[in-house]
Amino acid sequence: MISRFTNSWFIQGKRRFALLLASGAFISLPADTLALENDTYTSPAFYQQFVRGTVSDERGTISGVTVVVQGKPEVTTSTDEQGNFSIQAVPGDILLFTAVGYEPKQVTVSGNSVSVSLASSADQLDEVVVVGYGVQKKESLTGALQVVSGEELRDITNPSVENMLNSKVAGAFVAPGSGRPGSGGAVVIRGQATLNGTTSPLWVIDGVIVGSSAGDLNPDDIESMTVLKDAASTAIYGSQGANGVVLVTTKRPKAGATSITFSTRMGFNQLTNGNMEVMNGAELYDYYASFENAETIAFPRWNEDLRNSNFDWWDLATQNGFTQNHNLSISSGTEKLRSFLSVGLYDEQGAVKEYDYRRYNVRLNQEYILTDWLTIKPSLVGARRGVESREYSVTAMYSNLPWDSPYDEEGNLVGHRSETWVNSANTNYLYDLQWNHSGNTNYELMGNMDFTIKLTDWLTFNSVNNYRYIHYGSDAYTDPRSNGGENVNGRIADYRSETTRRYTNQMFTVDKTWGVHSLQAVAGYEFNDYRGKVLDVYGTGFIPGFEVLDVVATPERTKGSINEWAVQSLLSKANYAFDNRYLIEGSLRRDGASNFGDNAKYGNFFSISGGWNIQNEAWFNAPWVNNLKLRASYGSSGNRPNSLYPHFNLYSVAASASYNGAPGALISQIGNPNLTWEKTLTAGVGLDAAFFNNRLRTTIDYYNKNTDNILYNVPISGLTGVTSIWRNIGQMNNRGIEVSVGGDIVRNEDWLWSLDLNLGHNQNKLTDLFPTQNADGTYSVKPVIVGDGAGVAGSAQRILEIGRAIDTYYLKEWAGVNTETGAPMWYVVERDEDGNELSRETTSTYADATFEKLDRAAPKIFGGFQTSVRYKQFDLGANFGYAIGGKLYNYARQEYDSDGTYTDRNQMKLLPGWSRWEQPGDVATHPVAKYNNPDQGNLVSSRYMENNDFLRLRSLTVGYNWKVNQYGFKNARFYFTGENLFVLTNYSGVDPEIPANNGAVLSSAGPAVYPATRKYMFGVNVSF
C-alpha cells in the first residue's frame, strides 16, 4: 500500500536542519528523518505514526525516563530535560515507562499524544550517584557529598561554572568573580586546609582530572555535579583531594528518535556600586571648604565656581552591557550507536565600556556498543575564548576629581597633565585609549578515547584516555603618543603559552550481588602529566600605527620557560552492603609525584567509612520515615606544593646573572630532598533523613580536619642570595558543621511549593608552626606576620600564630575620635609575657599604637536558600545567598575616606550613621578633616575593618512552559530572570563579596574594585 504524506514547510525545515547538523557529527538518524525537497513525498516505508507526550510526577516533569514499546525492545527512547518524548508506535501498542526512584507504568496507545504521571517508588534510594571512579547507589553511600543538577546551576547567566555553585552546596564557600565578563570565582570546601598552596577543589570532568579549575567548560553541557567533601569521598583522589573534589558529568547521548534542544537568553547588565558613592563637584567643594585649615588650600582654581564643575566619571565609563547566550544540542542514535552534539556561544559586553568577552563551545560525546562486551566512548571538546579591550579605567570611576573633565570646551580630548585640571599631575586615560588596546584568545581542545570491556556479568574493565591542549595568547599595543609609551617611544607586547596534559586511567570494576550481600570495588592505575611552554616578548620604539614586533627598534625583553610535572598512582576502593542495612567502605591510594625528592617521592592515602540504613531494619516501624541513615568516616587526603621543583638546588641563568656581557648562573633555590606530602586527616559523622513521602529532607554533617606537614616557603637568611626554602612546617585544624534542609510545603497535581536551605560553619585554627633560632642559640616558635594577598602596599596584614585562625587580622586597633580635639585615636595595650592584657590606653600618635590580634576574615555562617513555586505551566524560582560574622578590610577607604590626606582623588560620601568631628564635644565616627592631613588617621588600622554580613537575591526567575506538540515541538519554555537584584548589607564598599583573584579568596578591597553586575535576561528553551 502506498501512502501519501503531506506536511508543512516548517516541519520539513526542522528535519532538514536536524539532518544537516547530525550528519556532521556522525549521528545515526532514523530513516524517517530524511530531508524532504518537496511538500509531498511518497514512500512505503516513510509513513510511521509517532506518539509524543510528557512524563511528570507530583513535583513536575521528569527527564531521563526510559520509554519502550513492549515486545519491541529495539524501539526505545527517553524523556528530555522538559520531560518530553517521541516514539514510533501505533494504537494498541503498550508503552512501558521506567525511571530510577519511580514505580514502572504501562500505558496503551490510543492516539498520537499521551500524558503520563509516575508515582514515586516506596524506596527512592536506588538512585545512582556519580562518585570517585564510578557510580554508586544512593542507599549505599557512606560519604558526605552533594549532587547539584545542571538545571540548578543555570539560574544565573555566567560563563564560569565556579560562580554558579554559589549558595547551592552546604560547606562550599564561593568567592564570586567580579562583574568583568569572564571573571572566574574561587571555591573553598570545608575551610582552607593549606597555607601556601591552592585552596581550590580538584575538578574532574567525565572521569578526567583537569586540575584546580573547570576551564572553559560550557555550563549548558553539564548534566550534574557531585561535590565530594569528606575523606570517605575524597581519599580515593589521594594527594589531590585535600581541598575537596568536584565531579562534573556532561550530557550523554541517548537512544531513540532525534531530539533537538535550543536555548537562548539575551538581556543587559549594569554595574552596582553598593553603598559606596563618591562626591559630585558641589559636595567635594563643600567638603574642602569645611577643612579645619581651608585657608591653606592653594591650587590655582580654588574658588566657589568649582561647585558648578561636575563631571561624572562613573557615568562616562559605564553602560548597559549586552549579554547573550545561545546553545544548540542534538541527541540521537540506536541501541548500538549514539551521539550527542552541542554547540554554544556566550557573548557579553562589559558594563564598563569597551571590554568584550566572547566564547564558543563545541562538544561531541559518542557511544558505540560494538558487541555485548565492548563499548567505545570517544568524545571531542573544543572552546575558543576571546577578549578585546579598550576598557575604560575602573580606578578613574572612583578617584578622578569631578572638577576635571576629559574634554575641553570644544569637546576635544585634553592631554595629560592638563593645566585646565585641578589635579594637573594626573593623566587623562581617554587620551590614551585613542590608540592603546589589548586582547587575548584562548583555545582549548580535549579529546577522549574511552572504552569498556565487560569481562563477566560482575567484572568490567574501564579505560579512560584523555589528551588536553590549551593555547593562550595575548597582545598589547601602547602607542608612542600615549602616557605609557612616550618615554620608550611605544611598546608592543606579545605573550604565548602552550600547555598539554595527558591523562590515563585503567580500572577494573566489580559489581556483585548475591543474596543479602552486595559488593562494589575498583582497582587500577592512573597517570597524569603536564607540560607548559611560555614565550614573553616586549619591544619598544616604532612608528605609530604598526602593531607587529618586526617594526620595533629595541627588543626590550625576551623571556621564556618550560615547566613539567607528572603524577602516577595505584588506587583501590571497595564498598560492601549487608541486606541494604549495614554498609562499610574503604579506599587505599599510593601516589608518586615529580615535585618531591627521592626521599619522599611516594605517599599513601586511605579512608574507612560505614553507614547504617536504619529504615531497613525489621524492627523499625515508622512508615512516615522514608530514609534514616547514620554515617561515619575517617581517612586521609593530601596536597602538593605549588612549586614544581622544590626538592632541587636551582640556579638562575638569566640577564641578572650575566657579567660583562657573558652569560652566568646564580643560585636561586636551595632544595629540600626531604620535603614530604602535606596530609589532611578527616573524621566525620553524618545523618541523612527523609520523611512524609520525601516531602521533608535533611542532611547534617560534622567534620574535624587535621592537616599535618604543612608545606610552606619558609624565610631564611639571605647570605647565600636565597631568602626562603620549602619545608614542612606545622599543623592546622578545621572543624565545622553543615546542614541542608528541604521540604515541599505544597505538593499536588497542580501546585508545588518547595523550600531548601543550607548553611555551613567552619572554625579554623593553627596548631603547630616551625621554630626559629633565638639570639642565644635556642629555638622557639614565634608568630609569623604575612600579607593579606591583595597585593596593595599598605594594606592589612595577618598573623600566623598557634591557637589562632590563619586569617586573623593583625592591625593597630582603632579607638575612635578624640571628642575634644577631633584627632584620630588608637589603642596602646600593655601585655605580660603570656599575652594577658595589663592595661589599655589611647594615643593620637600612630607610631605609638600597638598591633593587636583581632577578628578573622572568614564568615562564621554562610550558605543559601532557594524557593520555587509551580502552578500548572507557570513556575517561579528564587535563589538567595548569605554570610554572617565575617570581616573585610576596606582598603579603598584609606584613599577615598582619608580625612583630607589625599587631595588628588575624589572622596566618598559619609554613610547614614557616620559623622565628621567639627567642634569640641562632638562624638563622631570620623576625625577632623584637614587639607593634606598629617594626622595619619587613614593609615592601616582596624578603622577600615568592617562586617561583611549580607543577604543577596542572586536570581529571580518567572517562567511558562507552553505545550506546542501540534506544531512539531515537544516543549517551549519562556522565562525572565533578574540576577543580583539586591543585597542587604551595612558594608560601606562596593560589594561585601570581594571578587576572587586567580582562584584565591581575598578579604581586602582594593581601590579599584570592579563591581558586580545586575542582569535582566529573557530566555527561551525549545525542544523538538
Side-chain angles (χ1 to χ4, degrees):
M1 170 179 163
I2 298 177
S3 300
R4 185 172 298 276
F5 178 84
T6 304
N7 205 341
S8 69
W9 181 92
F10 182 82
I11 303 301
Q12 298 167 42
K14 180 256 292 189
R15 287 183 174 137
R16 289 194 202 78
F17 186 52
L19 181 61
L20 176 63
L21 289 173
S23 61
F26 308 106
I27 293 178
S28 176
L29 298 179
D32 65 329
T33 59
L34 292 175
L36 303 179
E37 295 298 331
N38 304 296
D39 284 347
T40 55
Y41 179 79
T42 304
S43 169
F46 185 80
Y47 182 73
Q48 303 286 353
Q49 178 174 335
F50 278 82
V51 177
R52 294 180 172 87
T54 303
V55 182
S56 62
D57 64 0
E58 65 273 15
R59 294 173 56 87
T61 58
I62 314 172
S63 63
V65 178
T66 300
V67 187
V68 180
V69 177
Q70 193 174 62
K72 302 177 181 178
E74 71 281 0
V75 183
T76 181
T77 188
S78 59
T79 58
D80 62 16
E81 294 177 359
Q82 286 76 42
N84 302 299
F85 71 93
S86 176
I87 193 169
Q88 180 181 311
V90 297
D93 282 348
I94 298 175
L95 303 182
L96 177 62
F97 297 84
T98 57
V100 174
Y102 295 92
E103 298 290 349
K105 188 169 185 176
Q106 294 182 355
V107 174
T108 302
V109 176
S110 59
N112 59 6
S113 66
V114 62
S115 181
V116 180
S117 178
L118 298 185
S120 299
S121 64
D123 185 4
Q124 290 190 348
L125 299 178
D126 286 339
E127 178 184 350
V128 173
V129 177
V130 177
V131 296
Y133 300 98
V135 296
Q136 204 169 317
K137 288 184 179 180
K138 187 175 181 180
E139 186 179 36
S140 67
L141 293 175
T142 59
L145 54 83
Q146 185 169 339
V147 179
V148 182
S149 70
E151 289 302 311
E152 292 177 271
L153 294 172
R154 290 186 281 273
D155 60 339
I156 65 170
T157 307
N158 198 294
S160 168
V161 176
E162 291 89 343
N163 291 342
M164 292 181 165
L165 279 175
N166 213 336
S167 307
K168 296 181 175 71
V169 178
F173 178 81
V174 180
S178 71
R180 179 176 283 118
S183 174
V187 182
V188 178
I189 297 174
R190 290 189 166 183
Q192 184 175 335
T194 186
L195 290 178
N196 225 154
T198 178
T199 59
S200 301
L202 179 70
W203 288 79
V204 181
I205 301 177
D206 290 335
V208 177
I209 294 175
V210 297
S212 58
S213 74
D216 282 330
L217 174 66
N218 184 3
D220 279 84
D221 286 343
I222 296 175
E223 183 74 33
S224 68
M225 296 172 63
T226 305
V227 181
L228 310 181
K229 298 185 281 187
D230 69 341
S233 304
T234 65
I236 191 63
Y237 288 97
S239 63
Q240 303 171 85
N243 299 316
V245 181
V246 182
L247 307 178
V248 179
T249 302
T250 62
K251 295 175 181 177
R252 308 305 301 176
K254 299 174 183 178
T258 300
S259 173
I260 303 175
T261 301
F262 176 71
S263 67
T264 183
R265 61 178 75 181
M266 293 182 287
F268 64 91
N269 57 70
Q270 55 186 210
L271 288 187
T272 59
N273 62 341
N275 289 326
M276 181 175 173
E277 292 186 70
V278 294
M279 297 180 182
N280 61 30
E283 291 165 336
L284 190 62
Y285 177 85
D286 292 342
Y287 172 61
Y288 272 53
S290 72
F291 287 163
E292 185 181 65
N293 59 344
E295 69 280 359
T296 65
I297 300 175
F299 53 81
R301 291 183 56 199
W302 175 241
N303 59 66
E304 195 168 354
D305 290 342
L306 288 177
R307 292 179 55 86
N308 301 318
S309 296
N310 187 29
F311 190 83
D312 192 333
W313 289 91
W314 177 279
D315 185 64
L316 170 75
T318 61
Q319 64 179 357
N320 286 332
F322 181 70
T323 302
Q324 55 182 326
N325 187 19
H326 312 291
N327 289 275
L328 174 70
S329 65
I330 304 174
S331 180
S332 184
T334 66
E335 287 300 306
K336 296 292 185 180
L337 171 60
R338 309 167 189 171
S339 294
F340 172 84
L341 171 68
S342 74
V343 291
L345 166 65
Y346 184 95
D347 191 333
E348 183 174 357
Q349 296 175 347
V352 175
K353 293 177 181 176
E354 298 297 331
Y355 189 93
D356 296 330
Y357 173 97
R358 178 175 292 181
R359 190 177 75 188
Y360 301 92
N361 289 88
V362 62
R363 174 178 295 274
L364 176 61
N365 291 341
Q366 296 185 303
E367 293 183 5
Y368 299 106
I369 305 176
L370 298 183
T371 68
D372 292 340
W373 55 270
L374 176 60
T375 300
I376 299 177
K377 295 179 284 187
S379 67
L380 185 65
V381 182
R384 181 196 184 274
R385 163 171 45 90
V387 169
E388 296 179 4
S389 176
R390 292 180 185 262
E391 187 177 65
Y392 282 37
S393 171
V394 176
T395 302
M397 289 162 44
Y398 307 107
S399 65
N400 278 19
L401 298 178
W403 301 328
D404 299 331
S405 170
Y407 306 104
D408 60 21
E409 293 180 355
E410 286 75 35
N412 300 312
L413 288 170
V414 302
H416 301 306
R417 293 165 287 279
S418 171
E419 294 180 357
T420 65
W421 281 21
V422 171
N423 182 14
S424 58
N426 199 9
T427 60
N428 178 11
Y429 74 85
L430 281 184
Y431 187 80
D432 286 355
L433 287 184
Q434 296 177 93
W435 313 290
N436 294 355
H437 60 88
S438 63
N440 63 74
T441 55
N442 188 80
Y443 294 91
E444 182 173 324
L445 183 66
M446 188 165 70
N448 271 56
M449 180 54 71
D450 306 341
F451 61 89
T452 299
I453 300 175
K454 191 172 183 179
L455 301 173
T456 69
D457 60 352
W458 55 267
L459 179 61
T460 305
F461 175 74
N462 297 288
S463 179
V464 176
N465 306 281
N466 173 268
Y467 185 85
R468 188 182 187 198
Y469 173 80
I470 300 174
H471 180 276
Y472 174 84
S474 67
D475 54 77
Y477 172 82
T478 306
D479 194 88
R481 295 161 290 184
S482 67
N483 181 63
E486 59 186 2
N487 290 333
V488 294
N489 198 24
R491 175 179 287 114
I492 295 175
D494 200 348
Y495 178 91
R496 297 287 183 268
S497 73
E498 290 185 346
T499 60
T500 58
R501 291 188 69 159
R502 296 181 298 176
Y503 176 86
T504 184
N505 182 288
Q506 313 303 318
M507 190 79 60
F508 288 95
T509 301
V510 173
D511 190 348
K512 180 72 172 177
T513 300
W514 65 102
V516 295
H517 307 281
S518 177
L519 175 66
Q520 287 184 309
V522 296
Y525 170 81
E526 181 178 271
F527 178 83
N528 191 6
D529 72 354
Y530 164 94
R531 187 179 191 271
K533 183 178 181 180
V534 170
L535 178 64
D536 189 5
V537 182
Y538 285 4
T540 59
F542 54 87
I543 300 172
F546 289 89
E547 301 186 12
V548 293
L549 286 166
D550 268 356
V551 304
V552 301
T554 305
E556 183 182 26
R557 182 177 83 176
T558 303
K559 297 180 65 176
S561 63
I562 295 177
N563 289 303
E564 298 176 318
W565 58 256
V567 177
Q568 66 174 349
S569 311
L570 294 172
L571 56 100
S572 62
K573 180 178 71 170
N575 174 277
Y576 169 77
F578 176 77
D579 199 23
N580 286 331
R581 289 181 291 162
Y582 311 118
L583 317 170
I584 186 169
E585 182 173 335
S587 69
L588 181 63
R589 179 173 178 131
R590 181 170 175 82
D591 278 344
S594 63
N595 51 351
F596 286 109
D598 293 336
N599 297 346
K601 183 71 70 179
Y602 286 87
N604 299 319
F605 305 90
F606 75 96
S607 72
I608 182 73
S609 58
W612 180 21
N613 285 315
I614 302 174
Q615 81 280 356
N616 289 338
E617 293 288 353
W619 50 264
F620 188 81
N621 186 20
W624 51 275
V625 178
N626 304 106
N627 177 33
L628 187 61
K629 179 196 289 185
L630 287 175
R631 295 178 281 102
S633 65
Y634 180 74
S636 64
S637 52
N639 215 343
R640 307 198 309 273
N642 56 14
S643 173
L644 296 184
Y645 313 106
H647 53 297
F648 289 140
N649 294 320
L650 298 181
Y651 288 83
S652 173
V653 181
S656 58
S658 64
Y659 177 75
N660 197 26
L666 291 174
I667 186 170
S668 62
Q669 176 176 287
I670 298 175
N672 182 357
N674 297 315
L675 195 69
T676 189
W677 303 81
E678 183 177 285
K679 285 192 176 182
T680 298
L681 290 165
T682 304
V685 294
L687 172 69
D688 302 322
F691 311 97
F692 311 115
N693 194 22
N694 293 292
R695 293 187 67 162
L696 177 62
R697 308 165 294 274
T698 185
T699 297
I700 302 173
D701 278 285
Y702 171 80
Y703 61 88
N704 189 357
K705 296 170 56 176
N706 288 292
T707 302
D708 195 6
N709 289 323
I710 293 175
L711 293 161
Y712 195 74
N713 208 9
V714 178
I716 60 174
S717 170
L719 291 176
T720 62
V722 178
T723 57
S724 63
I725 183 173
W726 279 95
R727 289 175 52 191
N728 299 100
I729 57 103
Q731 299 175 345
M732 185 195 310
N733 175 263
N734 283 278
R735 64 180 64 190
I737 189 170
E738 300 161 354
V739 179
S740 297
V741 179
D744 299 334
I745 302 171
V746 176
R747 192 170 80 183
N748 56 46
E749 185 175 350
D750 291 331
W751 282 94
L752 173 65
W753 176 23
S754 63
L755 179 65
D756 293 272
L757 166 71
N758 72 77
L759 67 86
H761 164 72
N762 181 77
Q763 184 65 46
N764 174 275
K765 184 169 64 175
L766 193 64
T767 56
D768 194 14
L769 199 59
F770 62 91
T772 57
Q773 189 173 18
N774 301 314
D776 60 0
T778 61
Y779 285 82
S780 62
V781 175
K782 299 182 180 66
V784 177
I785 310 302
V786 297
D788 61 359
V792 179
S795 187
Q797 59 187 14
R798 299 179 183 173
I799 185 170
L800 301 179
E801 184 180 45
I802 293 177
R804 295 186 182 275
I806 61 174
D807 57 350
T808 299
Y809 287 105
Y810 188 63
L811 304 170
K812 296 192 176 188
E813 188 174 0
W814 179 251
V817 179
N818 189 307
T819 57
E820 296 303 315
T821 66
M825 297 191 302
W826 302 269
Y827 284 111
V828 180
V829 181
E830 183 181 356
R831 300 180 184 274
D832 62 20
E833 294 181 355
D834 296 325
N836 300 311
E837 184 174 323
L838 301 177
S839 65
R840 177 178 289 259
E841 298 177 350
T842 61
T843 181
S844 292
T845 303
Y846 181 81
D848 293 341
T850 54
F851 283 92
E852 298 298 316
K853 304 156 189 174
L854 304 174
D855 290 338
R856 60 174 300 192
K860 294 180 173 62
I861 298 176
F862 59 92
F865 58 92
Q866 300 82 37
T867 185
S868 62
V869 179
R870 176 184 59 81
Y871 173 69
K872 294 185 176 180
Q873 278 74 51
F874 293 93
D875 60 80
L876 182 148
N879 179 27
F880 294 83
Y882 67 89
I884 302 171
K887 298 287 184 180
L888 289 182
Y889 187 78
N890 191 356
Y891 171 83
R893 285 182 56 199
Q894 286 188 228
E895 298 194 15
Y896 307 136
D897 188 19
S898 67
D899 312 321
T901 302
Y902 290 111
T903 59
D904 60 346
R905 62 207 69 179
N906 204 351
Q907 298 293 291
M908 62 185 291
K909 300 177 184 180
L910 297 185
L911 266 62
W914 289 4
S915 60
R916 176 81 61 187
W917 188 94
E918 295 179 350
Q919 59 187 5
D922 284 354
V923 178
T925 59
H926 284 55
V928 60
K930 302 176 184 178
Y931 188 68
N932 291 326
N933 197 332
D935 293 344
Q936 299 183 313
N938 74 314
L939 293 186
V940 57
S941 76
S942 63
R943 173 186 180 183
Y944 299 124
M945 192 172 71
E946 302 185 35
N947 295 326
N948 72 326
D949 300 350
F950 70 88
L951 172 64
R952 184 189 298 274
L953 176 55
R954 300 201 185 279
S955 66
L956 178 66
T957 302
V958 179
Y960 176 74
N961 291 281
W962 187 25
K963 305 300 181 184
V964 285
N965 290 345
Q966 65 271 31
Y967 301 111
F969 294 93
K970 294 179 182 178
N971 188 68
R973 181 172 185 265
F974 303 88
Y975 61 93
F976 177 80
T977 300
E979 302 173 19
N980 189 27
L981 294 181
F982 70 79
V983 56
L984 303 178
T985 182
N986 290 324
Y987 175 65
S988 68
V990 172
D991 197 321
E993 293 186 278
I994 298 295
N997 180 27
N998 292 325
V1001 177
L1002 299 181
S1003 57
S1004 289
V1009 174
Y1010 196 119
T1013 56
R1014 181 178 295 119
K1015 292 181 180 178
Y1016 301 94
M1017 305 295 297
F1018 176 76
V1020 179
N1021 294 344
V1022 180
S1023 59
F1024 48 92

